[in-house]
Amino acid sequence: MGKIGLIARREFNERVRKKSFIITTILMPLCMVGIIVLMAWLMTRESDKEREIIVIDDSGMVAPHLVNEGSIRYRMADRTLEQMQEQAPEGAFGILVIGHDIMSNPKAAQLFTYESSTLMIEESISGQIRKIVEDAKLKTYDIDNLDEILAEVQTPIKLQTKEITDSGETRDSSSALNMAAAYIFGLLIYMFVFMYGTMVMQGVIEEKSNKVLELMVSSVKPFQLMMGKILGIASVALTQLLIWVVFIAVAGGAAINYFAGDAMAAAAAMNAGTAGMPAAMGDIGADEMAILSRLTDMRYILTTVIGFIVYFIGGYLLYAAMFAAVGSAVDNEKDTQNLQLPITVPLILAIVVMVSAMQDPNSQIAFWFSMIPFTSPVIMMARLPYGVPMWELLVSVGLLYLTFVGTVWLAGKIYRVGIFMYGKKPSFRELFKWVRYKY
């Protein structure tokens, strides 16, 4: 263990002192915040390019009620459809044709475009036509004050969801927050495991090509060398994660207190069961209040954060051992592509299944993939914000770390042979032979 510790400290000191580590540690949270802000801005930003729609209305009832909306502008046609197909009107985006039987045939509306359309454009046009047709049908019933009646009848329902705990108590639940946390933490596990695992592989390849390993194994065993490298880079990863967590917690806490300080106090009072808390809520909506309530629930936060750390460490150790074995078996990064395939496929599959797990965290596919060690770090983090029984967590974590121990044993056998092999790209059959060698 002393030699493993020396190697781990050497790996840690060498990487932490690099300018790239400092720059990445500082820029990564800023980039993530910037990306989120940019995505939100792009989603809410309306296009500044006007799209003119030429309308041919055979029914005579839709066109008079079409209203310019956003970047879409409507204009009545002055030529036939055939003429406009042969020669496009100047500046026109497309042609909207309304059939004469639009009242009885929902498919009697067609949009011909001169360039690719988008879902937002089509929804805007179809939404207006649907509203116009519905209003026309309602007027056939000849009901007085129909608009006032409809406005009075409309009753939007805001469903408030609460979870029943094992002790029989209830607490606020937010499916929006659960889904966001599942997506973010599952994706972070995937990114970090792949990024730091690849870092182990690249380090082994670099040292092998520089003949450094041949000198080092004269003083330490290959297995000790592999474990020291894995644990050293793991400490780098945890240091970086800790810095990011502190940064996000401080920045996020300051932002929330600035924009929603009273609401956070109300949410904390609600979780503590303090009387008189509704007065602090102000005009905040029920959905936002549920999110803030969960963000002030220490059990929810600790479960998610501790679960992330446990699964990140287990997932990293498992995949880092495999990446180290691949790095020891080749001479350069180009030769790693085929050998990396069995490693990357489970990670990619986990991302695919994660989408299903976010929608139904208690499904059979989500359950079993959260038990399989090669996919459990990503899938279990996608399920954890929704609440997972303790026995499932214990079984999943136990299988993950037991598999890590077995994988390290197999990777160590490949590592001891691979670090001395040069000039040959091994096949999977040869790797299997290396595992069977006796020392």
Side-chain angles (χ1 to χ4, degrees):
M1 290 302 297
K3 294 180 179 179
I4 292 176
L6 285 173
I7 297 169
R9 282 196 295 272
R10 179 252 180 188
E11 289 288 336
F12 178 82
N13 292 330
E14 179 185 354
R15 296 178 186 279
V16 167
R17 291 172 181 173
K18 289 183 177 180
K19 291 182 180 180
S20 59
F21 173 84
I22 299 173
I23 294 173
T24 304
T25 303
I26 296 173
L27 291 182
M28 183 64 77
L30 298 177
C31 289
M32 291 182 65
V33 172
I35 290 172
I36 293 173
V37 172
L38 179 61
M39 289 176 61
W41 178 73
L42 290 175
M43 290 177 65
T44 56
R45 177 177 175 270
E46 292 186 356
S47 174
D48 54 359
K49 178 183 177 182
E50 290 191 357
R51 293 175 171 84
E52 189 176 60
I53 306 294
I54 311 300
V55 182
I56 300 176
D57 186 5
D58 294 333
S59 68
M61 56 165 291
V62 174
H65 301 285
L66 288 173
V67 179
N68 296 336
E69 186 177 40
S71 62
I72 302 176
R73 299 290 180 267
Y74 296 98
R75 178 166 65 88
M76 292 299 297
D78 54 4
R79 289 185 290 166
T80 64
L81 177 61
E82 291 75 14
Q83 290 174 334
M84 287 187 288
Q85 285 178 327
E86 293 177 359
Q87 184 178 3
E90 183 178 354
F93 173 79
I95 306 167
L96 176 63
V97 179
I98 309 296
H100 62 88
D101 57 343
I102 188 66
M103 290 284 287
S104 59
N105 181 14
K107 297 181 180 180
Q110 293 179 296
L111 177 65
F112 301 87
T113 61
Y114 296 104
E115 55 185 270
S116 297
S117 181
T118 65
L119 184 61
M120 293 182 63
I121 293 174
E122 294 169 8
E123 286 183 346
S124 174
I125 296 172
S126 61
Q128 281 209 50
I129 297 174
R130 181 179 65 251
K131 181 69 169 56
I132 293 169
V133 172
E134 288 175 352
D135 289 345
K137 287 184 177 180
L138 286 172
K139 288 180 180 179
T140 59
Y141 289 93
D142 195 20
I143 302 175
D144 294 336
N145 301 323
L146 181 61
D147 293 338
E148 290 81 357
I149 294 173
L150 290 175
E152 186 178 347
V153 168
Q154 287 181 353
T155 309
I157 302 296
K158 293 289 186 180
L159 185 65
Q160 299 184 34
T161 307
K162 295 183 178 292
E163 291 182 4
I164 302 176
T165 63
D166 296 336
S167 59
E169 298 177 350
T170 60
R171 62 185 180 189
D172 286 331
S173 176
S174 172
S175 58
L177 177 62
N178 290 339
M179 180 168 288
Y183 180 80
I184 292 172
F185 284 108
L187 191 61
L188 286 178
I189 287 281
Y190 167 80
M191 290 172 54
F192 290 152
V193 166
F194 193 82
M195 179 172 67
Y196 291 112
T198 305
M199 193 181 295
V200 172
M201 181 184 68
Q202 292 172 343
V204 173
I205 294 174
E206 182 180 350
E207 292 178 351
K208 182 179 177 181
S209 62
N210 294 333
K211 310 293 183 181
V212 175
L213 293 178
E214 293 183 3
L215 297 175
M216 295 184 70
V217 295
S218 63
S219 302
V220 298
K221 295 179 180 179
F223 180 80
Q224 295 172 328
L225 182 60
M226 184 183 73
M227 283 302 300
K229 185 173 289 291
I230 291 173
L231 295 178
I233 296 179
S235 61
V236 174
L238 288 175
T239 302
Q240 204 165 41
L241 282 175
L242 181 61
I243 295 173
W244 289 342
V245 167
V246 171
F247 174 83
I248 293 172
V250 172
I256 290 175
N257 284 328
Y258 180 79
F259 292 106
D262 294 339
M264 287 293 290
M270 181 180 293
N271 289 331
T274 305
M277 59 206 168
M281 291 185 183
D283 296 328
I284 191 170
D287 294 339
E288 291 80 4
M289 198 64 201
I291 292 175
L292 293 176
S293 177
R294 293 294 267 173
L295 289 175
T296 56
D297 186 349
M298 290 306 299
R299 180 180 177 183
Y300 178 83
I301 295 174
L302 289 176
T303 300
T304 305
V305 173
I306 293 174
F308 177 81
I309 294 173
V310 170
Y311 277 99
F312 166 73
I313 293 175
Y316 163 77
L317 294 175
L318 175 62
Y319 278 93
M322 293 188 288
F323 276 115
V326 170
S328 67
V330 298
D331 297 333
N332 54 71
E333 290 189 36
K334 293 181 180 179
D335 295 335
T336 63
Q337 295 179 357
N338 291 335
L339 296 180
Q340 279 192 79
L341 186 61
I343 302 176
T344 56
V345 165
L347 281 173
I348 296 173
L349 183 61
I351 288 294
V352 175
V353 176
M354 182 185 75
V355 178
S356 173
M358 289 165 52
Q359 297 175 346
D360 187 2
N362 296 315
S363 65
Q364 287 294 312
I365 188 171
F367 170 80
W368 287 110
F369 273 84
S370 65
M371 294 294 133
I372 299 173
F374 297 99
T375 56
S376 63
V378 174
I379 304 304
M380 188 57 84
M381 284 311 305
R383 296 183 61 203
L384 199 57
Y386 294 92
V388 178
M390 182 57 66
W391 72 267
E392 292 187 18
L393 284 172
L394 294 176
V395 172
S396 177
V397 171
L399 289 174
L400 176 61
Y401 281 84
L402 284 175
T403 305
F404 155 67
V405 174
T407 303
V408 166
W409 178 77
L410 291 174
K413 285 181 167 290
I414 297 174
Y415 189 87
R416 342 185 142 182
V417 179
I419 57 176
F420 298 110
M421 300 291 289
Y422 295 96
K424 184 180 180 181
K425 183 179 177 181
S427 63
F428 288 107
R429 180 176 295 181
E430 288 179 286
L431 295 181
F432 182 69
K433 290 181 180 178
W434 295 359
V435 172
R436 298 175 61 187
Y437 285 165
K438 296 181 179 180
Y439 304 96

